[in-house]
Amino acid sequence: MEFKISDKMRNMKPSIIREILKQMSDPTLISFAGGNPAADSFPAEDIARFSDELLRQDPVAALQYSVSEGVPSVREAVRAFANRRERVAKENDGVLITSGSQQILDFAAKCLCNEGDVVAVENPAFLGAFNAFRSSGARLAGVPMEDDGVNLAALEAVFAAPEKPRFFYCIPNFQNPTGKTMSLAKRRAVYALAVRYGVPVLEDDPYGELRIAGEPVPSIKSMDTEGAVIYAGSFSKILCPGMRLAYCVCDKKLMAAFVVAKQCSDVHTNVWAQRVCEAMLTRTDMDAHIREIRKIYAAKAALMMEQLDEKCPQVRYTRPEGGMFIWGTLPEGADMPAFVRECLARKLALVPGNAFMVDEEAPCGSFRMNFSTPTPENIVKGVSVMAGVLAAQGL
Ligand SMILES: Cc1ncc(COP(=O)(O)O)c(C=O)c1O
């Protein structure tokens, strides 16, 4: 059979990271390329216990169809969790339980964009978001990143352009891929611009709980009095990504459209996973669990930075205050793709920085390193591989 792939999907490429990760079946490969949580961060015993209890005591509650918004008691528990330190969900906001936050990114584009519409995005930013937006026919307007978040003048220019963006996508905490955190002043300015120009903000926050240094910065959503911010939270990095559980907090009017999108997509989020998550939120000390994850990541990030300082002083890099990523930049004039290729030939996977750019073809001297997945031993070995390649390439 000859399949005619739709115009929409024909030009979409598979994620380069997923392609690199296919090579992970090679046990000798060290990967700084993925973005997986550390395996020892999963609360597997609690999940097994709650799952077993649920299936024995109330199997129908885990196994039956449910409502598209999310199980009501789960939505309540999630709202309380999201609001425990700051007011993320306001009176006019709904909470929608989704199959990963990737689904929220997909729904935002599906519900807010017509073919050819512009979406403003931090540049670089999360590749999965770019792909989701493009699959709805959106064109991306990249706004350059600075050390404390997006460039405000460039953002305002994009907002003021004749083709006003349908929304602005940003990752204020420990951004993927740069590890950067948007300052409080910039969050306030982004919100003010969003309101002034009538451009909603899609605030993607899967890493916000994973702070390893510095002080928490209020979310943009917590400043939202106009229903201008769509907030995406996720349990992937604080419980486990295999459960595919996330939540969207946004104005109820917009949520009504998301609910219809959900019905078209997967009807509702996995009920078993929702119920187990509810038990985790209401019957365990989630903050203690999150503190343990932070400890693991703080140690791994410190080790990777120490190794980079010692063995690769010519690589400039961001010192993340949380999350999972370090963004490295080679000396001026270096051939980054050749560096990444040679590292891979020596069994170290890195992600070339241009993969996260709106224009993948533009020159880029940066690459992304992940510190949450590799073991400490492999962090040491991997940075040694980088040092060997830098020396071999005369950098
Ligand atoms: C910035 C960002 N947003 C969203 C996601 C999707 O996460 P999930 O669908 O597992 O919640 C990821 C995954 O790595 C990410 O890095």
Side-chain angles (χ1 to χ4, degrees):
M1 172 68 70
E2 276 284 312
F3 292 103
K4 284 206 155 186
I5 304 299
S6 67
D7 293 346
K8 229 188 237 153
M9 294 307 290
R10 198 175 39 233
N11 297 324
M12 303 283 306
K13 283 183 273 174
S15 151
I16 181 171
I17 301 165
R18 300 265 149 220
E19 292 300 303
I20 293 172
L21 292 181
K22 276 188 195 158
Q23 304 191 28
M24 288 304 290
S25 50
D26 175 353
T28 63
L29 187 85
I30 295 173
S31 179
F32 290 178
N36 287 356
D40 52 350
S41 73
F42 297 148
E45 282 198 8
D46 281 335
I47 291 174
R49 179 163 59 92
F50 291 134
S51 209
D52 186 61
E53 189 183 295
L54 185 65
L55 291 170
R56 282 175 204 289
Q57 292 176 4
D58 194 4
V60 177
L63 303 176
Q64 188 54 280
Y65 277 122
S66 184
V67 289
S68 301
E69 290 83 350
V71 174
S73 57
V74 177
R75 292 170 66 206
E76 247 171 66
V78 169
R79 182 183 275 268
F81 177 76
N83 280 358
R84 75 195 191 288
R85 277 196 292 267
E86 57 173 11
R87 196 106 195 276
V88 173
K90 316 273 167 49
E91 227 165 79
N92 290 334
D93 288 323
V95 175
L96 173 68
I97 309 296
T98 60
S99 303
S101 51
Q102 182 68 38
Q103 190 169 53
I104 302 167
L105 310 180
D106 188 42
F107 288 173
K110 216 175 193 171
C111 296
L112 293 171
C113 294
N114 293 312
E115 192 72 34
D117 277 345
V118 173
V119 169
V121 295
E122 288 178 331
N123 192 29
F126 174 49
L127 179 62
F130 290 1
N131 283 343
F133 305 156
R134 285 182 171 132
S135 76
S136 280
R139 286 179 296 132
L140 306 184
V143 187
M145 284 290 285
E146 296 169 338
D147 282 348
D148 59 348
V150 77
N151 178 305
L152 292 173
L155 183 67
E156 180 157 14
V158 171
F159 281 11
E163 283 187 285
K164 189 156 74 175
R166 305 298 289 217
F167 59 88
F168 167 53
Y169 172 73
C170 58
I171 312 162
N173 288 317
F174 331 126
Q175 204 233 25
N176 180 4
T178 61
K180 292 174 181 173
T181 297
M182 196 190 292
S183 65
L184 178 57
K186 281 210 170 163
R187 292 177 196 219
R188 288 193 174 126
V190 165
Y191 180 68
L193 286 174
V195 172
R196 187 174 332 140
Y197 287 93
V199 177
V201 175
L202 173 51
E203 179 177 24
D204 190 13
D205 193 23
Y207 303 106
E209 298 284 346
L210 303 180
R211 177 169 282 281
I212 56 174
E215 291 304 313
V217 187
S219 63
I220 304 176
K221 183 67 186 158
S222 71
M223 304 166 190
D224 187 15
T225 51
E226 306 295 320
V229 184
I230 305 157
Y231 179 88
S234 177
F235 291 105
S236 286
K237 321 293 179 184
I238 51 172
L239 288 180
C240 54
M243 282 173 94
R244 308 304 304 128
L245 265 190
Y247 57 99
C248 176
V249 179
C250 67
D251 189 280
K252 285 177 185 158
K253 297 189 293 293
L254 178 62
M255 195 180 123
F258 281 19
V259 168
V260 176
K262 182 103 183 124
Q263 287 163 358
C264 299
S265 173
D266 60 357
V267 184
H268 62 71
T269 299
N270 180 317
V271 181
W272 161 82
Q274 289 191 61
R275 293 277 186 193
V276 171
C277 176
E278 178 183 8
M280 290 296 303
L281 294 181
T282 55
R283 293 169 57 192
T284 71
D285 185 345
M286 274 297 283
D287 285 319
H289 168 62
I290 291 167
R291 272 196 300 277
E292 288 308 307
I293 303 177
R294 285 191 196 145
K295 264 193 226 158
I296 298 173
Y297 292 177
K300 287 187 167 190
L303 177 63
M304 189 174 268
M305 291 192 280
E306 189 188 291
Q307 291 290 307
L308 287 168
D309 289 343
E310 187 188 316
K311 298 174 181 162
C312 307
Q314 60 278 64
V315 172
R316 278 187 297 118
Y317 66 87
T318 54
R319 299 186 74 85
E321 293 193 339
M324 299 184 166
F325 304 108
I326 293 176
W327 183 244
T329 301
L330 294 177
E332 195 72 25
D335 182 345
M336 181 277 294
F339 171 75
V340 170
R341 261 196 319 275
E342 186 53 28
C343 286
L344 192 58
R346 297 185 191 199
K347 307 270 183 207
L348 170 70
L350 300 165
V351 188
N354 58 306
F356 305 98
M357 299 287 183
V358 169
D359 176 7
E360 273 187 59
E361 308 299 324
C364 173
S366 300
F367 56 94
R368 191 189 75 175
M369 292 170 276
N370 163 263
F371 58 78
S372 61
T373 319
T375 58
E377 192 193 6
N378 279 346
I379 289 177
V380 173
K381 280 192 194 158
V383 176
S384 296
V385 170
M386 285 170 54
V389 174
L390 288 169
Q393 297 188 337
L395 295 171

PDB file of all heavy atoms in Angstrom, residues 299-325:
ATOM      1  N   ALA A 299      24.076  16.628  43.624  1.00  0.00           N
ATOM      2  CA  ALA A 299      25.384  15.949  43.645  1.00  0.00           C
ATOM      3  C   ALA A 299      25.866  15.689  42.217  1.00  0.00           C
ATOM      4  O   ALA A 299      27.035  15.900  41.895  1.00  0.00           O
ATOM      5  CB  ALA A 299      25.269  14.644  44.426  1.00  0.00           C
ATOM      6  N   LYS A 300      24.955  15.253  41.350  1.00  0.00           N
ATOM      7  CA  LYS A 300      25.369  14.938  39.972  1.00  0.00           C
ATOM      8  C   LYS A 300      25.768  16.200  39.208  1.00  0.00           C
ATOM      9  O   LYS A 300      26.753  16.209  38.462  1.00  0.00           O
ATOM     10  CB  LYS A 300      24.246  14.214  39.233  1.00  0.00           C
ATOM     11  CG  LYS A 300      24.062  12.776  39.705  1.00  0.00           C
ATOM     12  CD  LYS A 300      23.070  12.056  38.835  1.00  0.00           C
ATOM     13  CE  LYS A 300      23.130  10.568  39.091  1.00  0.00           C
ATOM     14  NZ  LYS A 300      22.361   9.805  38.132  1.00  0.00           N
ATOM     15  N   ALA A 301      24.988  17.279  39.395  1.00  0.00           N
ATOM     16  CA  ALA A 301      25.303  18.525  38.695  1.00  0.00           C
ATOM     17  C   ALA A 301      26.654  19.047  39.176  1.00  0.00           C
ATOM     18  O   ALA A 301      27.494  19.474  38.366  1.00  0.00           O
ATOM     19  CB  ALA A 301      24.215  19.567  38.942  1.00  0.00           C
ATOM     20  N   ALA A 302      26.879  18.979  40.499  1.00  0.00           N
ATOM     21  CA  ALA A 302      28.150  19.480  41.051  1.00  0.00           C
ATOM     22  C   ALA A 302      29.313  18.676  40.474  1.00  0.00           C
ATOM     23  O   ALA A 302      30.346  19.239  40.099  1.00  0.00           O
ATOM     24  CB  ALA A 302      28.128  19.386  42.574  1.00  0.00           C
ATOM     25  N   LEU A 303      29.131  17.369  40.379  1.00  0.00           N
ATOM     26  CA  LEU A 303      30.204  16.521  39.844  1.00  0.00           C
ATOM     27  C   LEU A 303      30.488  16.866  38.382  1.00  0.00           C
ATOM     28  O   LEU A 303      31.654  17.006  37.986  1.00  0.00           O
ATOM     29  CB  LEU A 303      29.806  15.035  39.978  1.00  0.00           C
ATOM     30  CG  LEU A 303      30.804  14.038  39.391  1.00  0.00           C
ATOM     31  CD1 LEU A 303      32.146  14.114  40.127  1.00  0.00           C
ATOM     32  CD2 LEU A 303      30.253  12.601  39.463  1.00  0.00           C
ATOM     33  N   MET A 304      29.430  17.035  37.588  1.00  0.00           N
ATOM     34  CA  MET A 304      29.650  17.335  36.172  1.00  0.00           C
ATOM     35  C   MET A 304      30.360  18.687  36.021  1.00  0.00           C
ATOM     36  O   MET A 304      31.299  18.817  35.226  1.00  0.00           O
ATOM     37  CB  MET A 304      28.320  17.316  35.399  1.00  0.00           C
ATOM     38  CG  MET A 304      28.521  17.395  33.894  1.00  0.00           C
ATOM     39  SD  MET A 304      26.977  17.205  32.961  1.00  0.00           S
ATOM     40  CE  MET A 304      26.916  15.457  32.633  1.00  0.00           C
ATOM     41  N   MET A 305      29.955  19.677  36.812  1.00  0.00           N
ATOM     42  CA  MET A 305      30.575  21.006  36.684  1.00  0.00           C
ATOM     43  C   MET A 305      32.035  20.969  37.145  1.00  0.00           C
ATOM     44  O   MET A 305      32.903  21.573  36.523  1.00  0.00           O
ATOM     45  CB  MET A 305      29.758  22.038  37.467  1.00  0.00           C
ATOM     46  CG  MET A 305      28.401  22.296  36.804  1.00  0.00           C
ATOM     47  SD  MET A 305      27.516  23.713  37.452  1.00  0.00           S
ATOM     48  CE  MET A 305      26.797  23.075  38.945  1.00  0.00           C
ATOM     49  N   GLU A 306      32.269  20.210  38.216  1.00  0.00           N
ATOM     50  CA  GLU A 306      33.646  20.071  38.726  1.00  0.00           C
ATOM     51  C   GLU A 306      34.537  19.423  37.656  1.00  0.00           C
ATOM     52  O   GLU A 306      35.648  19.871  37.393  1.00  0.00           O
ATOM     53  CB  GLU A 306      33.533  19.167  39.950  1.00  0.00           C
ATOM     54  CG  GLU A 306      34.708  18.988  40.825  1.00  0.00           C
ATOM     55  CD  GLU A 306      34.335  17.895  41.832  1.00  0.00           C
ATOM     56  OE1 GLU A 306      33.469  18.136  42.705  1.00  0.00           O
ATOM     57  OE2 GLU A 306      34.896  16.774  41.715  1.00  0.00           O
ATOM     58  N   GLN A 307      34.012  18.378  37.023  1.00  0.00           N
ATOM     59  CA  GLN A 307      34.760  17.682  35.978  1.00  0.00           C
ATOM     60  C   GLN A 307      35.025  18.596  34.784  1.00  0.00           C
ATOM     61  O   GLN A 307      36.103  18.583  34.208  1.00  0.00           O
ATOM     62  CB  GLN A 307      33.989  16.438  35.516  1.00  0.00           C
ATOM     63  CG  GLN A 307      33.925  15.334  36.551  1.00  0.00           C
ATOM     64  CD  GLN A 307      35.292  14.691  36.756  1.00  0.00           C
ATOM     65  OE1 GLN A 307      35.936  14.255  35.814  1.00  0.00           O
ATOM     66  NE2 GLN A 307      35.753  14.667  37.998  1.00  0.00           N
ATOM     67  N   LEU A 308      34.004  19.376  34.415  1.00  0.00           N
ATOM     68  CA  LEU A 308      34.172  20.303  33.286  1.00  0.00           C
ATOM     69  C   LEU A 308      35.240  21.349  33.612  1.00  0.00           C
ATOM     70  O   LEU A 308      36.101  21.655  32.782  1.00  0.00           O
ATOM     71  CB  LEU A 308      32.840  20.999  32.962  1.00  0.00           C
ATOM     72  CG  LEU A 308      31.781  20.134  32.283  1.00  0.00           C
ATOM     73  CD1 LEU A 308      30.425  20.844  32.290  1.00  0.00           C
ATOM     74  CD2 LEU A 308      32.176  19.795  30.841  1.00  0.00           C
ATOM     75  N   ASP A 309      35.190  21.886  34.841  1.00  0.00           N
ATOM     76  CA  ASP A 309      36.179  22.905  35.236  1.00  0.00           C
ATOM     77  C   ASP A 309      37.588  22.329  35.161  1.00  0.00           C
ATOM     78  O   ASP A 309      38.514  22.982  34.696  1.00  0.00           O
ATOM     79  CB  ASP A 309      35.903  23.385  36.674  1.00  0.00           C
ATOM     80  CG  ASP A 309      34.650  24.226  36.757  1.00  0.00           C
ATOM     81  OD1 ASP A 309      34.178  24.705  35.702  1.00  0.00           O
ATOM     82  OD2 ASP A 309      34.119  24.394  37.871  1.00  0.00           O
ATOM     83  N   GLU A 310      37.698  21.084  35.618  1.00  0.00           N
ATOM     84  CA  GLU A 310      39.029  20.469  35.701  1.00  0.00           C
ATOM     85  C   GLU A 310      39.556  20.061  34.318  1.00  0.00           C
ATOM     86  O   GLU A 310      40.704  20.325  33.989  1.00  0.00           O
ATOM     87  CB  GLU A 310      38.914  19.243  36.612  1.00  0.00           C
ATOM     88  CG  GLU A 310      40.225  18.579  36.933  1.00  0.00           C
ATOM     89  CD  GLU A 310      39.981  17.275  37.683  1.00  0.00           C
ATOM     90  OE1 GLU A 310      39.140  17.237  38.605  1.00  0.00           O
ATOM     91  OE2 GLU A 310      40.629  16.267  37.301  1.00  0.00           O
ATOM     92  N   LYS A 311      38.659  19.425  33.512  1.00  0.00           N
ATOM     93  CA  LYS A 311      39.166  18.788  32.288  1.00  0.00           C
ATOM     94  C   LYS A 311      38.866  19.558  31.005  1.00  0.00           C
ATOM     95  O   LYS A 311      39.509  19.328  29.995  1.00  0.00           O
ATOM     96  CB  LYS A 311      38.555  17.381  32.158  1.00  0.00           C
ATOM     97  CG  LYS A 311      38.919  16.457  33.302  1.00  0.00           C
ATOM     98  CD  LYS A 311      38.167  15.146  33.172  1.00  0.00           C
ATOM     99  CE  LYS A 311      38.486  14.223  34.310  1.00  0.00           C
ATOM    100  NZ  LYS A 311      37.485  13.147  34.435  1.00  0.00           N
ATOM    101  N   CYS A 312      37.859  20.403  31.027  1.00  0.00           N
ATOM    102  CA  CYS A 312      37.467  21.114  29.793  1.00  0.00           C
ATOM    103  C   CYS A 312      37.321  22.612  30.073  1.00  0.00           C
ATOM    104  O   CYS A 312      36.231  23.184  29.862  1.00  0.00           O
ATOM    105  CB  CYS A 312      36.136  20.575  29.254  1.00  0.00           C
ATOM    106  SG  CYS A 312      36.072  18.808  29.009  1.00  0.00           S
ATOM    107  N   PRO A 313      38.386  23.261  30.567  1.00  0.00           N
ATOM    108  CA  PRO A 313      38.232  24.680  30.931  1.00  0.00           C
ATOM    109  C   PRO A 313      37.893  25.568  29.732  1.00  0.00           C
ATOM    110  O   PRO A 313      37.392  26.679  29.908  1.00  0.00           O
ATOM    111  CB  PRO A 313      39.609  25.044  31.513  1.00  0.00           C
ATOM    112  CG  PRO A 313      40.548  24.009  30.983  1.00  0.00           C
ATOM    113  CD  PRO A 313      39.752  22.757  30.789  1.00  0.00           C
ATOM    114  N   GLN A 314      38.144  25.069  28.525  1.00  0.00           N
ATOM    115  CA  GLN A 314      37.848  25.899  27.340  1.00  0.00           C
ATOM    116  C   GLN A 314      36.357  25.878  26.980  1.00  0.00           C
ATOM    117  O   GLN A 314      35.917  26.651  26.134  1.00  0.00           O
ATOM    118  CB  GLN A 314      38.717  25.475  26.132  1.00  0.00           C
ATOM    119  CG  GLN A 314      38.571  24.055  25.642  1.00  0.00           C
ATOM    120  CD  GLN A 314      39.376  23.026  26.414  1.00  0.00           C
ATOM    121  OE1 GLN A 314      39.130  22.818  27.597  1.00  0.00           O
ATOM    122  NE2 GLN A 314      40.286  22.344  25.746  1.00  0.00           N
ATOM    123  N   VAL A 315      35.587  24.992  27.631  1.00  0.00           N
ATOM    124  CA  VAL A 315      34.133  24.966  27.377  1.00  0.00           C
ATOM    125  C   VAL A 315      33.448  25.912  28.372  1.00  0.00           C
ATOM    126  O   VAL A 315      33.594  25.756  29.581  1.00  0.00           O
ATOM    127  CB  VAL A 315      33.571  23.531  27.532  1.00  0.00           C
ATOM    128  CG1 VAL A 315      32.049  23.528  27.472  1.00  0.00           C
ATOM    129  CG2 VAL A 315      34.147  22.607  26.472  1.00  0.00           C
ATOM    130  N   ARG A 316      32.720  26.902  27.835  1.00  0.00           N
ATOM    131  CA  ARG A 316      31.917  27.755  28.714  1.00  0.00           C
ATOM    132  C   ARG A 316      30.591  27.043  28.956  1.00  0.00           C
ATOM    133  O   ARG A 316      30.080  26.400  28.044  1.00  0.00           O
ATOM    134  CB  ARG A 316      31.623  29.100  28.039  1.00  0.00           C
ATOM    135  CG  ARG A 316      32.747  30.101  28.158  1.00  0.00           C
ATOM    136  CD  ARG A 316      32.334  31.461  27.612  1.00  0.00           C
ATOM    137  NE  ARG A 316      32.038  31.400  26.183  1.00  0.00           N
ATOM    138  CZ  ARG A 316      30.857  31.660  25.643  1.00  0.00           C
ATOM    139  NH1 ARG A 316      29.828  31.999  26.399  1.00  0.00           N
ATOM    140  NH2 ARG A 316      30.680  31.591  24.339  1.00  0.00           N
ATOM    141  N   TYR A 317      30.053  27.153  30.136  1.00  0.00           N
ATOM    142  CA  TYR A 317      28.768  26.470  30.365  1.00  0.00           C
ATOM    143  C   TYR A 317      27.913  27.222  31.374  1.00  0.00           C
ATOM    144  O   TYR A 317      28.430  28.019  32.163  1.00  0.00           O
ATOM    145  CB  TYR A 317      29.004  25.025  30.815  1.00  0.00           C
ATOM    146  CG  TYR A 317      29.666  24.885  32.167  1.00  0.00           C
ATOM    147  CD1 TYR A 317      28.909  24.878  33.324  1.00  0.00           C
ATOM    148  CD2 TYR A 317      31.051  24.786  32.289  1.00  0.00           C
ATOM    149  CE1 TYR A 317      29.509  24.768  34.566  1.00  0.00           C
ATOM    150  CE2 TYR A 317      31.660  24.675  33.527  1.00  0.00           C
ATOM    151  CZ  TYR A 317      30.882  24.664  34.661  1.00  0.00           C
ATOM    152  OH  TYR A 317      31.473  24.577  35.898  1.00  0.00           O
ATOM    153  N   THR A 318      26.603  26.970  31.335  1.00  0.00           N
ATOM    154  CA  THR A 318      25.692  27.604  32.293  1.00  0.00           C
ATOM    155  C   THR A 318      25.703  26.791  33.584  1.00  0.00           C
ATOM    156  O   THR A 318      25.758  25.557  33.538  1.00  0.00           O
ATOM    157  CB  THR A 318      24.248  27.619  31.764  1.00  0.00           C
ATOM    158  OG1 THR A 318      23.885  26.262  31.415  1.00  0.00           O
ATOM    159  CG2 THR A 318      24.095  28.500  30.546  1.00  0.00           C
ATOM    160  N   ARG A 319      25.652  27.468  34.713  1.00  0.00           N
ATOM    161  CA  ARG A 319      25.575  26.757  36.003  1.00  0.00           C
ATOM    162  C   ARG A 319      24.100  26.734  36.400  1.00  0.00           C
ATOM    163  O   ARG A 319      23.578  27.726  36.910  1.00  0.00           O
ATOM    164  CB  ARG A 319      26.402  27.471  37.065  1.00  0.00           C
ATOM    165  CG  ARG A 319      27.892  27.567  36.730  1.00  0.00           C
ATOM    166  CD  ARG A 319      28.683  28.149  37.883  1.00  0.00           C
ATOM    167  NE  ARG A 319      28.827  27.192  38.975  1.00  0.00           N
ATOM    168  CZ  ARG A 319      29.778  26.272  39.031  1.00  0.00           C
ATOM    169  NH1 ARG A 319      30.691  26.195  38.086  1.00  0.00           N
ATOM    170  NH2 ARG A 319      29.829  25.423  40.036  1.00  0.00           N
ATOM    171  N   PRO A 320      23.421  25.614  36.162  1.00  0.00           N
ATOM    172  CA  PRO A 320      21.971  25.598  36.404  1.00  0.00           C
ATOM    173  C   PRO A 320      21.628  25.615  37.894  1.00  0.00           C
ATOM    174  O   PRO A 320      22.369  25.057  38.698  1.00  0.00           O
ATOM    175  CB  PRO A 320      21.532  24.284  35.764  1.00  0.00           C
ATOM    176  CG  PRO A 320      22.735  23.418  35.794  1.00  0.00           C
ATOM    177  CD  PRO A 320      23.925  24.326  35.700  1.00  0.00           C
ATOM    178  N   GLU A 321      20.526  26.271  38.227  1.00  0.00           N
ATOM    179  CA  GLU A 321      20.057  26.263  39.623  1.00  0.00           C
ATOM    180  C   GLU A 321      19.085  25.119  39.856  1.00  0.00           C
ATOM    181  O   GLU A 321      18.457  25.024  40.911  1.00  0.00           O
ATOM    182  CB  GLU A 321      19.395  27.601  39.948  1.00  0.00           C
ATOM    183  CG  GLU A 321      20.379  28.754  39.951  1.00  0.00           C
ATOM    184  CD  GLU A 321      19.816  30.019  40.573  1.00  0.00           C
ATOM    185  OE1 GLU A 321      18.570  30.163  40.648  1.00  0.00           O
ATOM    186  OE2 GLU A 321      20.622  30.862  40.987  1.00  0.00           O
ATOM    187  N   GLY A 322      18.916  24.267  38.867  1.00  0.00           N
ATOM    188  CA  GLY A 322      18.005  23.136  39.016  1.00  0.00           C
ATOM    189  C   GLY A 322      17.830  22.417  37.698  1.00  0.00           C
ATOM    190  O   GLY A 322      18.564  22.676  36.733  1.00  0.00           O
ATOM    191  N   GLY A 323      16.840  21.529  37.668  1.00  0.00           N
ATOM    192  CA  GLY A 323      16.541  20.819  36.422  1.00  0.00           C
ATOM    193  C   GLY A 323      17.525  19.710  36.133  1.00  0.00           C
ATOM    194  O   GLY A 323      18.039  19.061  37.071  1.00  0.00           O
ATOM    195  N   MET A 324      17.844  19.526  34.868  1.00  0.00           N
ATOM    196  CA  MET A 324      18.613  18.350  34.460  1.00  0.00           C
ATOM    197  C   MET A 324      19.711  18.640  33.452  1.00  0.00           C
ATOM    198  O   MET A 324      20.374  17.713  32.993  1.00  0.00           O
ATOM    199  CB  MET A 324      17.661  17.353  33.779  1.00  0.00           C
ATOM    200  CG  MET A 324      16.553  16.859  34.663  1.00  0.00           C
ATOM    201  SD  MET A 324      15.584  15.631  33.780  1.00  0.00           S
ATOM    202  CE  MET A 324      14.675  14.941  35.144  1.00  0.00           C
ATOM    203  N   PHE A 325      19.849  19.914  33.048  1.00  0.00           N
ATOM    204  CA  PHE A 325      20.709  20.173  31.891  1.00  0.00           C
ATOM    205  C   PHE A 325      21.771  21.247  32.119  1.00  0.00           C
ATOM    206  O   PHE A 325      21.547  22.208  32.858  1.00  0.00           O
ATOM    207  CB  PHE A 325      19.854  20.615  30.687  1.00  0.00           C
ATOM    208  CG  PHE A 325      18.788  19.612  30.350  1.00  0.00           C
ATOM    209  CD1 PHE A 325      17.456  19.893  30.613  1.00  0.00           C
ATOM    210  CD2 PHE A 325      19.120  18.378  29.802  1.00  0.00           C
ATOM    211  CE1 PHE A 325      16.460  18.970  30.324  1.00  0.00           C
ATOM    212  CE2 PHE A 325      18.138  17.446  29.515  1.00  0.00           C
ATOM    213  CZ  PHE A 325      16.799  17.742  29.771  1.00  0.00           C
TER     214      PHE A 325
END
